[in-house]
Each structure stands twice: as C-alpha cells, then as structure tokens.
Amino acid sequence: PTISFIANLDSPCIPDIRLLVGRENPTIVNVHQGLLCKISQYFRNAFKEEWCSQREDPHALDLHDESLETVKAYVNWLYSGKMPLAYYRPAAGTSYEIVAQEAEKKYMILAAAYVFGNKILDVAFKNAIIDGFVATNIGCQWSPGPESASIIYNGTCPGSSARRLLSDFVAYNAWNDSHLEIGWMSMIDG
C-alpha cells in the first residue's frame, strides 16, 4: 500500500521521497524531501549524494524498524504541525484498571513517537510529543506505566527530556497506591 500526504506547500510538486515502513510488505509513505530535510538532520544526512548513490533507489529510504503508526504521525505532524493522536480522557466513574490500560496504550504510542523523533534528530517533534504526554496526563490523571517507560528508557540516552518527564510524573504523583489492584506500587519489585 501507498500513503501520500498532500499539503499546501510553496511548491506544487508531488512528493518525491518514498519512506518504506515495516518489514513484511512495507508500506510506502510518500513525502516531500524538502520538508523532511528542513527539520531533521537525520534526513538531511540520509539524502546527501554520498548516501543516495549507495542505495538501489536514491528516492527511497528504508525505515523497516519503524511502525507505520509512528511514521504516519510524524509525516502528518510535518505537514500540519499537529499531532494526529487522540489523547485519552476517561468518562467519570471509569475504574482505575481501565484508566491505567487505556492511558498506557496512548503513552506507548507517544513513547514510540518520541524515540523515533530522537532517532531522526527532530527536536521540534520531540517537543510536540512531550506536550502530548502532558496533555494525556492532565486528561486522564494517570501517569505513564512500565511499558511506555521501557520504550523511552530503551530508546533514549540518560538525561533525555522524556526520561526527565517520566521521573517528574512519578515524583509528582507518587503515593502509596498498594491498596489498588493496579498502580505504581504494584509495579515495583520488593
């Protein structure tokens, strides 16, 4: 399958770069090279002549390790300046367990997007993801859980903004929730 993002850009040209996303039957995401390279040092380097000449197709870039959801979110953000992710806001009376599960799903998507932004060296995108973490936290009154924390800690270096934010969430929201079925205390060994 092929996905194209059409935007109101200075140039009416069609997208000239193909991002190949996924391992099995990769999806092609069409995007403008100028837009990719304007913000991301990773893409500027990837499309330098010395690297393009080594690829079978100089207008295609293999992102087989990335999820389609993450790359689509990034490209959508490039063209619109907005995150296409819906932040979780539970209905009144929703159980802690459901809030934790649903919030963690959103946090995992945000964590993967942050790690992708880190990989492609796009600070503005990473900042938008941090804003998404904060909006989700405010909306659901629940902090990221162990799975999203693992994604962040496995995909970033010590001192990253996302790691500091996760620490801040835990420090701010820490309380003895051991009487609940699910909470921070249930995730700490010992």
Side-chain angles (χ1 to χ4, degrees), residues 8 32 35 42 47-48 55 62 70 74 82 97 103 116 122 126 131-132 140 162 181:
N8 192 10
H32 292 88
L35 193 56
Y42 174 87
F47 290 106
K48 286 182 177 177
R55 292 194 298 264
D62 185 1
T70 298
Y74 178 69
K82 298 176 184 167
E97 186 172 309
F116 180 71
D122 191 331
K126 292 191 306 181
D131 290 345
C140 69
E181 287 184 38

Side-chain angles (χ1 to χ4, degrees), residues 18-30:
R18 290 176 301 285
L19 303 177
L20 308 174
V21 184
R23 288 190 183 278
E24 302 288 326
N25 299 317
T27 299
I28 298 168
V29 178
N30 292 313

Side-chain angles (χ1 to χ4, degrees), residues 55-167:
R55 292 194 298 264
E56 185 177 315
D57 180 352
H59 299 288
L61 187 62
D62 185 1
L63 297 176
H64 67 272
D65 287 335
E66 305 304 331
S67 78
L68 181 59
E69 183 175 34
T70 298
V71 174
K72 281 174 43 179
Y74 178 69
V75 173
N76 191 335
W77 176 82
L78 276 177
Y79 281 98
S80 70
K82 298 176 184 167
M83 289 303 298
L85 307 171
Y87 304 115
Y88 177 62
R89 288 182 172 69
T94 304
S95 74
Y96 283 123
E97 186 172 309
I98 298 297
V99 171
Q101 291 170 356
E102 294 303 314
E104 184 63 359
K105 288 177 189 175
K106 297 297 181 186
Y107 285 129
M108 288 170 59
I109 293 168
L110 290 165
Y114 185 90
V115 169
F116 180 71
N118 196 53
K119 174 182 175 180
I120 63 169
L121 308 171
D122 191 331
V123 174
F125 182 65
K126 292 191 306 181
N127 288 341
I129 297 299
I130 293 291
D131 290 345
F133 269 100
V134 172
T136 300
N137 183 263
I138 290 169
C140 69
Q141 297 294 303
W142 199 268
S143 294
E147 290 155 0
S148 54
S150 289
I151 292 168
I152 292 292
Y153 274 78
N154 290 331
T156 63
C157 295
S160 79
S161 297
R163 285 185 181 198
R164 289 193 314 270
L165 181 64
L166 290 178
S167 298

